[in-house]
Amino acid sequence: MIRRSFYYLWGSQTVSNVADIIYLLSIVVLVFTSSDSLMTTILIPLFRLFSQVLSGLVAPIILSRFRLNRVLLFSQLGQFVIFTLLLLYLWNTPGQKSFFFIFIMVFGMSFLDGWTNPARNALVPRLATGEGLMRANGMVSVSDQVVKCAGWALSGIVIVWLGSLNTLVVASCCYLVAAIVTSFIRDPLAQEEVRSESSDPSSNEAGLVKEKKKGAYWKELGEGWKIIWHNRRIRSLMIVDSVDTIGGTSWVGVFILAYVTQVLHQDESWWGFMNASFFSGMILGGLLVVGLVKRLQKNSFLYMLGALMVYVLITVVFALNTIPVAALVLFAISGIPVQMAGIIRRTLLQTSAPAAQLPKVMAGIDVLTNLAFGLSLLFLGWYADRFGMVQVYLLAAAMTTIAVLIGWFYRRDFQDSEQIDHPTATGAGI
């Protein structure tokens, strides 16, 4: 079953993602043209990554004290306010701009945005249950990829047409629309708690006890990490994901650009073609999950491992290939198993912990994912310079193979996943 609030969540996050892409591309163009410095421009994604890691570390406290829909609304409104301040500043200073002020605003928006992903991922299983959960995850993933695929291309056209500042006005309107749509989301778990408190005379006493515990910040910060470590299913999924990420980072744009120029000996235009083909494959993979929900729910963990093995075979052929058209086709096909494995993994994570604990778990997972991505990016950058792009993709295939073997070792922990667990269940292997 999929509740109406899910569609509000889906719509608000889609509009917000559109705003993110427009604002990022506009700020990058603005900073680069104003500074004429690539090093200064690179600080934008670095500030974003650092801010989101810090945000993820404090997210457990925020997500445990406030309702998830209110956290999302506060995040959206906060981003809108900060972005509007940034827009007014840029509008009133047409000459020399303070890049420090711009980076601080980017940091603030990214910090608030860091709560969005764990809140969204924890809210989805409350708004979609049974077969609806994997279908909902598929719909969210498809919309994410459509926005990424079309957004980056269309944003460049819009910036050329309207200019950076006018494009930022469009992004500001998108943030406002996203906040308005978010206000219609209702958290069913929060509504149940309100009803139980009103019907249970002892709820006031429980509330006082809860108030007394509010000082235990450090304990709350560590709860998500403890659950990740002690829950065998979540721990195995994170190990598989972390090992896979080491090689999976090789699909980041800069490595694709290096592959296009060094292996395929093509110009930068092929970089755009490759990215478009990969996103197309990701969209198709998401649609396949939505259409095959009933089949994928049975032995979903094994389907995830199977998708990763298909990805390994495609990656090996991709690494050894030197024909541009074949690389384009292989890159598109690789997006299908990557997306399918990702959606199944997210669904398994969402059904492996009680609903009340899931926000903290998702916050911890986000921190781990960002750290793994950052470290993998540095490692693969060194590895590519030393051994070349062909070896990078062979390494990616090897790391995913190791991830599959690790997953196979843990497969017994998921034998009960043929029936997707209700997120309000307790235990789940803790």
Side-chain angles (χ1 to χ4, degrees):
M1 181 184 73
I2 298 180
R3 297 174 182 265
R4 180 181 297 178
S5 283
F6 167 76
Y7 296 102
Y8 292 135
L9 176 66
W10 185 31
S12 68
Q13 291 300 294
T14 301
V15 175
S16 180
N17 288 338
V18 171
D20 285 342
I21 291 176
I22 294 175
Y23 124 75
L24 273 177
L25 196 56
S26 300
I27 291 295
V28 166
V29 171
L30 193 68
V31 170
F32 184 72
T33 54
S34 300
S35 66
D36 198 25
S37 169
L38 184 59
M39 194 62 197
T40 302
T41 310
I42 288 175
L43 291 175
I44 296 174
L46 290 178
F47 263 79
R48 278 178 56 81
L49 180 61
F50 179 64
S51 176
Q52 288 177 345
V53 169
L54 288 180
S55 177
L57 291 174
V58 301
I61 295 177
I62 302 298
L63 298 176
S64 65
R65 276 163 168 67
F66 303 97
R67 297 175 185 174
L68 297 182
N69 54 325
R70 291 183 178 178
V71 172
L72 284 172
L73 182 58
F74 177 79
S75 174
Q76 298 285 6
L77 287 175
Q79 288 182 76
F80 169 71
V81 171
I82 294 175
F83 189 78
T84 302
L85 291 174
L86 174 61
L87 180 59
L88 291 174
Y89 168 76
L90 294 174
W91 203 277
N92 292 314
T93 55
Q96 186 65 32
K97 299 174 179 62
S98 171
F99 295 123
F100 178 75
F101 180 80
I102 294 174
F103 294 148
I104 290 298
M105 293 293 101
V106 170
F107 183 92
M109 289 189 63
S110 301
F111 189 85
L112 291 175
D113 190 47
W115 300 337
T116 301
N117 201 44
R120 180 187 78 171
N121 288 335
L123 194 55
V124 167
R126 301 183 186 184
L127 304 177
T129 56
E131 293 180 5
L133 178 55
M134 191 176 292
R135 181 173 288 110
N137 282 324
M139 292 165 65
V140 170
S141 295
V142 168
S143 64
D144 286 349
Q145 299 308 322
V146 168
V147 169
K148 289 178 182 178
C149 184
W152 287 106
L154 296 178
S155 296
I157 298 173
V158 172
I159 289 175
V160 173
W161 180 37
L162 297 178
S164 295
L165 286 178
N166 290 329
T167 305
L168 290 175
V169 174
V170 176
S172 180
C173 293
C174 288
Y175 280 123
L176 181 59
V177 171
I180 293 172
V181 176
T182 299
S183 67
F184 291 103
I185 299 173
R186 298 292 178 265
D187 184 353
L189 188 62
Q191 292 174 334
E192 289 176 9
E193 290 175 354
V194 170
R195 284 195 294 268
S196 64
E197 287 176 3
S198 61
S199 61
D200 186 1
S202 64
S203 61
N204 291 332
E205 182 181 348
L208 291 174
V209 173
K210 187 176 181 181
E211 287 293 328
K212 291 179 181 178
K213 291 183 178 180
K214 280 192 174 182
Y217 293 114
W218 292 107
K219 183 180 178 181
E220 289 193 16
L221 285 174
E223 281 183 7
W225 301 99
K226 288 180 181 178
I227 296 169
I228 292 172
W229 179 251
H230 291 293
N231 187 313
R232 283 179 60 88
R233 288 175 56 153
I234 296 177
R235 185 174 72 238
S236 60
L237 285 167
M238 289 313 301
I239 292 173
V240 169
D241 184 60
S242 298
V243 174
D244 182 42
T245 297
I246 296 175
T249 309
S250 60
W251 303 104
V252 172
V254 63
F255 294 113
I256 296 300
L257 179 60
Y259 175 84
V260 165
T261 56
Q262 296 175 11
V263 179
L264 300 182
H265 304 293
Q266 299 294 318
D267 58 30
E268 289 78 1
S269 63
W270 274 82
W271 182 36
F273 299 151
M274 297 287 283
N275 285 323
S277 68
F278 184 71
F279 282 128
S280 300
M282 295 279 278
I283 293 169
L284 180 57
L287 292 174
L288 284 175
V289 170
V290 172
L292 299 174
V293 167
K294 290 185 178 180
R295 178 173 295 182
L296 294 176
Q297 275 190 305
K298 296 181 179 180
N299 298 314
S300 55
F301 185 74
L302 295 180
Y303 275 114
M304 183 192 78
L305 297 182
L308 290 177
M309 278 309 302
V310 172
Y311 157 77
V312 167
L313 296 175
I314 295 172
T315 303
V316 171
V317 178
F318 180 82
L320 301 177
N321 171 69
T322 57
I323 303 172
V325 175
L328 205 62
V329 174
L330 289 168
F331 205 37
I333 296 174
S334 69
I336 299 175
V338 168
Q339 181 74 312
M340 293 181 70
I343 294 172
I344 294 173
R345 182 162 55 235
R346 185 191 304 170
T347 303
L348 289 172
L349 285 170
Q350 290 168 334
T351 56
S352 295
Q357 297 176 345
L358 196 57
K360 298 175 184 178
V361 172
M362 287 299 174
I365 288 172
D366 263 24
V367 172
L368 288 174
T369 301
N370 285 330
L371 288 175
F373 177 78
L375 293 174
S376 300
L377 197 61
L378 292 174
F379 169 71
L380 286 184
W382 168 83
Y383 194 86
D385 284 339
R386 187 173 180 85
F387 299 105
M389 288 309 301
V390 172
Q391 294 301 319
V392 166
Y393 287 109
L394 290 176
L395 175 66
M399 296 309 300
T400 302
T401 302
I402 294 173
V404 171
L405 294 175
I406 294 172
W408 183 257
F409 177 78
Y410 283 105
R411 71 188 184 281
R412 291 184 179 178
D413 295 326
F414 295 88
Q415 286 178 349
D416 60 341
S417 64
E418 292 185 8
Q419 299 271 335
I420 288 190
D421 307 329
H422 194 281
T424 57
T426 57
I430 296 178

